[in-house]
Amino acid sequence: MLLNPAPEAARWPETFPPPFADAWGDDRYGLWAEFVIVTARGSATQRMRWIEPGTFRMGSPDNEPERLNNEGPQHLVTLTRGFWLADTACTQALWQAVTGRNPSHFKGDLQCPVETVSWNDVQKFLRSLEGLLPGIEACLPSEAQWEYACRAGTETAYHFGNDITPERANYGNSIKKTVPVKSLPANDWGLYEMHGNVWEWCADGLRTYDEAPQQDPEGPAGSALRAVRGGSWFSLAGLARSAYRLANAPGFADGILGGLGFRLCLRS
């Protein structure tokens, strides 16, 4: 449950359906809208979920197993604006349809997430996508937006509780590769594989936490290291927790062991 849900009038997008939508609706997870990309390089459909504004407790409690110091102190964060977030990590199909190439190590199924991409690579992808979807701004979620969406109103180590199993997340090198998106159960806001499978780039760098409440916080930009969240197919369970924080240089594309990917955010 959200600590402080937004007023009713502020919960909804300014326009619905949004300008990018080829299909849209409302289901048990909330509002959704899809766009379809068809180019000479391929085709892909991406569903976006409307993430309502609200307040949550960011970071991990002192007694959470495997907690690191940069995950605290826990503090209240209010996100005053809702946003559209992809229900899955960007697939190889979508990346290929937009860019004409596929840099991923684990090829063979275009519904697997794209990986081995740097933050800088993602920025080029976002600009190309904007050219195919006029009237939208394509971006990455901030670190605060990512954790808010991952938790989906929960305060446990993972959005499904304090214990992790291979039936809930792809982690720990258990199957030695990524899995296609939507292979594992979604969280309560309809977002798939927020834990494990591929690390997900965020828009900003790691800010230093304190106990003061924050409103729409953003970490450093410029040439700063950028936050990555969620763990990967290879990472240990503790690195896939909702609060775990890591950062990499924007030009770092990683290799097989890390699996750097991302989750798209859209604004009108």
Side-chain angles (χ1 to χ4, degrees):
M1 179 180 295
L2 291 180
L3 300 176
N4 182 25
E8 190 69 21
R11 291 173 55 191
W12 312 113
E14 291 184 6
T15 59
F16 187 78
F20 63 78
D22 293 300
W24 56 87
D26 189 4
D27 60 19
R28 66 190 181 98
Y29 297 120
L31 297 180
W32 61 269
E34 288 180 347
F35 65 83
V36 179
I37 298 294
V38 180
T39 69
R41 301 176 291 272
S43 62
T45 299
Q46 179 65 64
R47 176 166 290 195
M48 308 295 293
R49 287 282 173 187
W50 176 249
I51 308 300
E52 297 179 5
T55 299
F56 77 111
R57 189 170 284 112
M58 189 169 184
S60 60
D62 293 345
N63 62 352
E64 184 168 296
E66 301 186 75
R67 178 186 191 268
L68 298 182
N69 288 337
N70 72 351
E71 297 171 24
Q74 277 192 306
H75 55 289
L76 294 181
V77 168
T78 297
L79 300 178
T80 62
R81 300 179 301 275
F83 54 99
W84 289 100
L85 187 66
D87 69 343
T88 69
C90 178
T91 63
Q92 295 175 30
L94 179 57
W95 184 276
Q96 185 168 296
V98 172
T99 70
R101 61 187 185 90
N102 182 0
S104 303
H105 178 82
F106 295 110
K107 294 183 174 71
D109 187 336
L110 291 178
Q111 290 309 303
C112 284
V114 69
E115 22 85 10
T116 319
V117 293
S118 71
W119 190 92
N120 291 337
D121 293 334
V122 174
Q123 301 311 302
K124 295 176 183 177
F125 167 90
L126 297 175
R127 303 293 79 78
S128 297
L129 182 64
E130 288 173 342
L132 298 170
L133 296 175
I136 62 97
E137 176 190 350
C139 56
L140 292 170
S142 69
E143 191 187 14
Q145 288 174 327
W146 190 96
E147 185 171 328
Y148 175 72
C150 175
R151 290 188 177 281
T154 65
E155 294 191 346
T156 48
Y158 310 93
H159 67 68
F160 40 71
N162 286 316
D163 298 314
I164 187 171
T165 66
E167 290 72 36
R168 293 172 170 173
N170 179 22
Y171 69 99
N173 201 23
S174 59
I175 62 171
K176 304 185 185 305
K177 62 179 181 178
T178 59
V179 297
V181 298
K182 300 188 180 181
S183 293
L184 298 160
N187 72 9
D188 286 348
W189 291 352
L191 305 174
Y192 293 88
E193 287 96 37
M194 295 297 288
H195 303 292
N197 216 23
V198 289
W199 291 101
E200 298 185 9
W201 285 107
C202 295
D204 51 345
L206 300 183
R207 63 185 174 87
T208 301
Y209 291 175
D210 58 40
E211 295 179 349
Q214 301 288 321
Q215 181 171 298
D216 300 318
E218 293 184 1
S223 60
L225 302 180
R226 293 306 199 277
V228 290
R229 290 296 205 108
S232 76
W233 64 274
F234 184 81
S235 64
L236 298 174
L239 278 61
R241 292 175 297 109
S242 300
Y244 181 78
R245 314 171 75 204
L246 185 64
N248 283 322
F252 183 58
D254 204 9
I256 180 175
L257 296 184
L260 279 170
F262 70 102
R263 188 174 301 254
L264 176 67
C265 188
L266 291 182
R267 300 187 180 97
S268 299

